[in-house]
């Protein structure tokens, strides 16, 4: 991702990361030697007692259209609505208070999936696999996020979204 930003001469006015150490490590590799803000609102979906367990436990009876829904709540995890409210609230606050037109936010796949589903709908979002260091580009105007494209910097694949 860092090489992609450098090759395309993309710079950021403000940097934000999940409070997770691995997200901070990613940001520090992608954009070294720049200050950033760690925000708990950008953290990964909380899986409750299933944290750190095999994905097989998470994926059993998984409906791709549902994006986990409420099934983690019984394990003391977050519901989709809780993740959505936390993440979108944090992103909205970032955009309302930023002094830059271009910001970088480093978060996690399932959290980004919830956000993408909210912005473009569940069915459309299933067309986009979000892997490590994939870049999702959004605009924010008049309190509305709009999805532009997903970039896989490893192979140069760009998936533009038809709005």
């Amino acid at each position: 991702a860092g090489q992609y930003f450098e090759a395309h001469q993309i710079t950021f006015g403000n940097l934000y990361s999940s409070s997770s150490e691995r997200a901070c490590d990613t940001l520090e590799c992608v954009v070294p030697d720049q200050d950033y803000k760690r925000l708990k609102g950008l953290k990964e979906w909380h899986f409750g007692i299933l944290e750190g367990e095999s994905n097989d436990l998470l994926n059993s009876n998984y409906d791709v259209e549902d994006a986990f829904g409420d099934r983690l709540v019984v394990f003391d995890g977050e519901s989709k609505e809780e993740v959505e409210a936390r993440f979108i609230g944090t992103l909205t606050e970032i955009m309302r208070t930023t002094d830059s037109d271009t910001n970088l936010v480093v978060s996690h796949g399932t959290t980004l999936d919830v956000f993408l589903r909210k912005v473009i709908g569940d069915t459309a979002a299933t067309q986009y696999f979000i892997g490590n260091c994939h870049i999702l580009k959004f605009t924010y105007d008049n309190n509305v996020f709009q999805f532009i494209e997903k970039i896989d910097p490893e192979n140069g694949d760009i998936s533009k979204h038809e709005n």
Side-chain angles (χ1 to χ4, degrees), residues 68-139:
F68 295 132
D70 288 335
R71 69 189 178 101
L72 295 171
V73 173
V74 297
F75 301 106
D76 296 324
E78 289 180 290
S79 70
K80 179 182 176 184
E81 290 76 22
E82 290 170 322
V83 175
E84 189 177 275
R86 170 176 51 81
F87 192 74
I88 293 172
T90 302
L91 288 179
T92 300
E93 183 64 19
I94 287 170
M95 297 312 297
R96 287 184 180 160
T97 60
T98 187
D99 57 357
S100 174
D101 289 337
T102 308
N103 300 286
L104 176 65
V105 173
V106 177
S107 190
H108 307 272
T110 57
T111 306
L112 290 169
D113 183 59
V114 168
F115 177 59
L116 185 61
R117 287 167 181 271
K118 182 65 174 178
V119 173
I120 65 173
D122 286 334
T123 302
T126 61
Q127 298 174 40
Y128 300 96
F129 169 73
I130 302 170
N132 288 336
C133 288
H134 284 187
I135 301 162
L136 302 180
K137 182 178 177 181
F138 293 87
T139 59

Side-chain angles (χ1 to χ4, degrees), residues 2-11 151 158:
Q3 291 171 348
Y4 176 87
F5 294 139
E6 187 175 314
H8 291 86
Q9 299 178 343
I10 298 170
T11 59
I151 302 159
I158 298 176

Side-chain angles (χ1 to χ4, degrees), residues 17-80:
S17 176
S18 157
S19 55
S20 166
E21 183 177 3
R22 62 190 169 103
C24 293
D25 289 348
T26 297
L27 188 142
E28 291 168 11
C29 286
V30 170
V31 187
D33 304 321
Q34 282 193 341
D35 291 336
Y36 64 94
K37 293 181 184 175
R38 292 174 50 154
L39 300 174
K40 290 182 180 182
L42 302 176
K43 66 184 179 179
E44 177 67 283
W45 192 320
H46 179 60
F47 296 139
I49 63 172
L50 296 179
E51 284 290 332
E53 293 294 337
S54 167
N55 282 343
D56 292 340
L57 289 174
L58 295 174
N59 293 331
S60 62
N61 301 318
Y62 174 63
D63 178 1
V64 73
E65 294 289 326
D66 186 36
F68 295 132
D70 288 335
R71 69 189 178 101
L72 295 171
V73 173
V74 297
F75 301 106
D76 296 324
E78 289 180 290
S79 70
K80 179 182 176 184

